Every structure is written in C-alpha cells, then in structure tokens.
Amino acid sequence: MARKRSLLIPGVDKRLLIKDAIKVMPDLSRRRFLTGGASLGALTLLAGCDVVDSSSAEEVLKKVSKFNDAVQAWMFNPDALAPEFPESAITRPFPFNAYYDLDDAPEIDGKDWKLEVRGLVDNKKSWTLEELYKLPQVKQVTRHICVEGWSAIGSWTGTPLRDFLKLIGADTRANYVWFQCADREGYNSPLDMRTALHPQTQMTFKFADDILPRAYGYPMKIRVPTKLGFKNPKYVISMEVTNDYKGGYWEDQGYNSFSGN
Amino acid sequence: MSSLAAAESHATREPARVIQPAWVRTMHWINAFAMILMIMSGWQIYNASPLFDFRFSSNITLGGWLGGALLWHFAAMWLLVINGLVYFIVGLATGRFRRKLLPITPGGVLSDLKAALTFKLSHDDLAKYNYVQKVLYAGILLVGVVIVLSGLSMWKPVQLHWLVSLFGGYDVARFVHFVCMSLIVAFLIVHVVLALLVPRSLRAMIIGR
C-alpha cells in the first residue's frame, strides 16, 4: 500500500495522469488480429507462409482487404442513390458517436472557423462559414450505418460536395479528397473521388433543419450515405484534392478503406 | 460360384463403393474451415453492437477487436462463397442433390423423426439419407443461402437496396443474419455429435468410404 502511494507524484491529478498514460500506450486489443484458436495450422495453406508469427497472417488479411477495396470500387454504382425516408423516421435523439466523449468533442467558434482548401484545385482560397452558408443547399433523410452494425436515420442539409468541387475548380480526375478534422487526435480520412462526386455526398451544415449541433460535427461534417459512418468526417477544417493515398485515422488501424455501402 | 470367388468379388467390389466422392470431401472441409472463421469473427463483430443482452466471450471470438474481426470476416467470406458456389453448381449438375435429398415427404419425415427420437432410426447404409437427414441437409443449404443474402444486404445496403427491402429493412436483415448463424451453430452441434456417434460417417467424409 505504502509502495503504491509513493508512485504517485504529489500535486499531479491522478485521473489526468492515467488518461495520458493510456493514450501513450499502444492499444494491444486493437492490433491483436490473432487470438487463441486463431493460430490455425490450416491458415498456413492459405497464407503460404509460416503463421506461427501473427504478423504474416496480418499481412495476408491486409492484402485481402486491399483486394476488397478494389472489388467494392468495381461494385460501386455512382448513380445508385441511398434510400430516403420520411421525416417521421428520423432517429431521435440521433446518437453521438466518436472515439472520445461528447465532453471532449471540439468546441468550434463559427466566426473564427475557416475551411482550408488544398491540393489539385484552381482556387485555393479558404472559406468562411458565412460564405459557405450562401451556397445552394439540399436536404436528405438517409440512414447512417455504423461499422459496429447499429444504424440511425438522420436529416442532413447542406451543399452537394460535387457542386463545391466544381466551384473551386478541383481536378475531379484525381483519386481522393482527403479530409482533416479538428478532433484532438486529428481525425482524417480519404474519400475516393467517385464517392466524393456522388449526388448525395454532402457538405452538411444542418441536422433536422437546425444548425448542425456540436455533437454531430459543428460547423461542418461530410455526409456520405454510401459509406459507413466512420467515413463521415465531422468538425472538418480542411480538404485536399490529391492522387496520393494518405491513410486515415481508422483506416490506419485496420478498417477497410473503401467501406462502401 | 465357389465361396472363395464370392469373397473375392466382394473384396474387389467393396473399394469401388465410394460414399463421399472426393469433391464432396474437399469442399466439406474447406466449408468447415471457412464457416468456423466466419462464425468466430462474426461473434466478435456482434460484440461491437449486440442485438441481445449478451456478448460472446473473447475466448471463442476471432480478430481481437472489431477491425480485426471485420478483416477475418471479409477474407473468409471469399473462401466460403467461392466454395459454396462451386458446391451448388456441382451438386446440381451431377444430380447429387436430387438423388440424395429428394423426395422429402411429410409422412417420411414424421415416421423417421419418431424413429430417431426413440433411438430406432437405422443408420446402416451411409450412402442413403433418412428423412431426418434429408430435411436437415436440405434445410441447412437453404439457411446457407439466406445467411449469404442477409450478409450481402448488410454489407451493401445502398448498392443492393432491393435485396434489403426484400428482407424488410436493414435492421431486419441483421436479425435474419443472426438467426441463420444460430441455426447453423445448432446444426453443427447435432451434426458433430451424430458424426461422433457413427464414426464410420466421419471416416467416409475423410477417406471416402
């Protein structure tokens, strides 16, 4: 007991210390693709290599996931619209979902906020919220499907991303639009260009006709009804039109990058 | 015919009697492997957002966390679907399904079920399925089709929205997928127990006779 106490540094908040320590520690459970019964000898046949060390199985799984990216891109129909629902179907309250608590969600002052535009675009000027609000907006009531399996129907109003990309003179032959967000860990995610140009992919400013609440990504989220929820960036601060695959917060941890619906 | 000749002809005829042809055996074990990967990783995926008031123990799940489980699930998916498709095509083309599984008559099922429950069901000829087996095997093939279709609905609800509406919505497809998994697991338990009770059937599935 006395020994334990001596480990604590006087004057330091215990709770915060633990929180910071956890952040630095690698999350074992996230990276551990192989558990218990999974070191199956038969997998050796599949992988064509020794799977006693789990990293080679991980490599095989990543390769299959890349292949699945390609298959999904091939399956993706740019004209197929996500089903729309009546307003009565909206899930209330629409769940808050992130890798942090709502208390830790970015608090953004709309007056100071600017959307930065980078990469393969003609006009790299930054946009204020006031300027963006003046763009034509449309509403959609669509289902948000989380990678975890739950889903919720929301009402989203904003400017189709493809209209904005046209407006700024983006090279729409580029591979990706890469988004960066104001989260503490700097969430980012690449969106393939064909999905970015999908008619329902939207720069969202309103939820259920009200200014987008902080919980859902104030001042701007990217609503992509043809992707799983984790590929719908919130608190967006910049977008970059690029040919390079720059990875993403969840993609780098193993979620399939296309993750299309 | 002398008794020796009879014994000889019996001996030479015997090895030719293959109960499970090589393609059935190969696909059976590929299927067993793929299904176990699908079920264990599926349980881990379920744990991320449980439909019911329980979670699967991490001792029987695969993938370590949601992202890992999804990688396993969508990798084993290819093995299962390709193997399953070939199985269906060969099974239909060779007439094996028709020969082994049809006809299924309600009367036959009832009398065989009664015999099975009173432990009087004969299992002498492994090449011939009784009505209980016919119903179970035909039923599990059907469940296999439904679990793949409900899985596709959850994987591509926008691209395959017609399929989703066939199930009655995304949420219903999730339940259907879970119920089919439960039926397959229940089938697996009965199937394995019976195979252990009739060891000759396991031998036939390994070496063919």
Side-chain angles (χ1 to χ4, degrees), chain A residues 222-235:
Chain A
I222 305 296
R223 171 69 190 135
V224 194
T226 52
K227 292 281 193 219
L228 291 177
F230 80 90
K231 289 199 76 98
N232 286 237
K234 298 178 286 199
Y235 321 101

Side-chain angles (χ1 to χ4, degrees), chain A residues 95-109:
Chain A
F96 165 79
N97 192 246
Y99 55 82
Y100 40 79
D101 295 332
L102 181 52
D103 289 344
D104 297 327
E107 258 179 297
I108 292 170
D109 185 344

